[in-house]
Amino acid sequence: ILYLSFKRRKRLNRLREQLPDAFDLMARVLRAGQTVSQSMQSVADEFDQPLSLEFLYCSEQMNLGLSAEQALRELAKRTGLLEIKIFVLSVVVHRQTGGNLAVLLDKLAHVVRERFRIRGMIDSLTAQGRFQAGILLSLPPAMFVLLLFLHYEYEMILLDYPLMIVFALGMMGAGALWIRRIVNFDY
């Protein structure tokens, strides 16, 4: 399960990294007079996986007769990214109200790049907290092992009280969740 969640997180991060450039390419294609479906096809042709596969699938859905709104909503549902959801919402609203979609995509690319910059700043500012959490959570087991080698009889007395060990592990788990909540947050 952890491997799958790590793999999914890695895939989503690759999608996020490619999105600003994809939105810029779509804006250029739209300025050249092409349609949204053709701009999505150009993203599928120019970019690497997983972004190219998602946009190719959406473009093919539109070409096979699925309405653009449904195909775009399926794209947002498949990826689950906030940036894609904003893109889908902007294209759907643009189709209903009109306007310059190329300018909108340029602004969306700028917003996504700014979100990356802010995310990087947040990661660098919370790195010390993550490091401290690692040290604080590894200290009790390390001390237990160290004392096990230095004062074996002393540590064996602790093992006579398993409820105390369970309580200590529970408190460490609560502390880990607390630190994680402080260090990780949505913006």
Side-chain angles (χ1 to χ4, degrees):
I1 293 174
L2 288 176
Y3 175 73
L4 292 176
S5 68
F6 175 74
K7 195 170 181 180
R8 176 171 165 70
R9 189 177 312 132
K10 186 176 177 182
R11 180 179 176 271
L12 290 177
N13 284 338
R14 287 194 61 200
L15 269 170
R16 279 191 184 108
E17 290 170 0
Q18 295 175 337
L19 276 177
D21 295 331
F23 292 151
D24 283 338
L25 176 63
M26 288 179 72
R28 287 193 305 271
V29 170
L30 287 171
R31 278 193 195 96
Q34 304 296 322
T35 64
V36 174
S37 178
Q38 290 168 332
S39 69
M40 294 180 84
Q41 181 65 43
S42 65
V43 168
D45 293 340
E46 296 295 323
F47 284 90
D48 296 331
Q49 292 181 2
L51 186 69
S52 63
L53 290 178
E54 294 295 339
F55 275 80
L56 178 66
Y57 188 63
C58 185
S59 175
E60 289 298 319
Q61 283 181 331
M62 283 189 233
N63 289 339
L64 291 174
L66 193 64
S67 72
E69 183 174 341
Q70 280 184 315
L72 289 169
R73 290 193 190 276
E74 287 293 321
L75 172 69
K77 191 183 299 183
R78 276 193 315 272
T79 60
L81 291 176
L82 177 67
E83 293 87 357
I84 297 280
K85 290 178 183 176
I86 293 170
F87 163 71
V88 167
L89 185 64
S90 63
V91 171
V92 168
V93 168
H94 173 266
R95 284 185 169 270
Q96 294 171 355
T97 61
N100 193 348
L101 186 59
V103 172
L104 187 106
L105 288 173
D106 283 335
K107 289 181 181 180
L108 185 59
H110 177 72
V111 167
V112 171
R113 283 189 181 99
E114 285 299 309
R115 282 178 54 91
F116 281 141
R117 188 181 65 78
I118 291 170
R119 181 176 289 141
M121 286 176 51
I122 289 171
D123 286 345
S124 67
L125 291 173
T126 59
Q128 182 180 2
R130 289 192 306 273
F131 182 70
Q132 287 174 348
I135 288 176
L136 287 174
L137 292 174
S138 65
L139 206 61
M143 289 304 294
F144 179 78
V145 170
L146 180 67
L147 285 175
L148 193 63
F149 288 120
L150 295 177
H151 298 288
Y152 183 77
E153 298 82 24
Y154 183 74
E155 286 299 308
M156 286 297 111
I157 294 172
L158 180 64
L159 293 178
D160 290 340
Y161 301 98
L163 188 61
M164 188 184 314
I165 295 173
V166 169
F167 181 74
L169 290 175
M171 293 303 287
M172 283 178 56
L177 290 176
W178 191 359
I179 291 172
R180 180 180 174 160
R181 183 159 174 110
I182 290 171
V183 172
N184 297 333
F185 58 90
D186 279 338
Y187 55 95

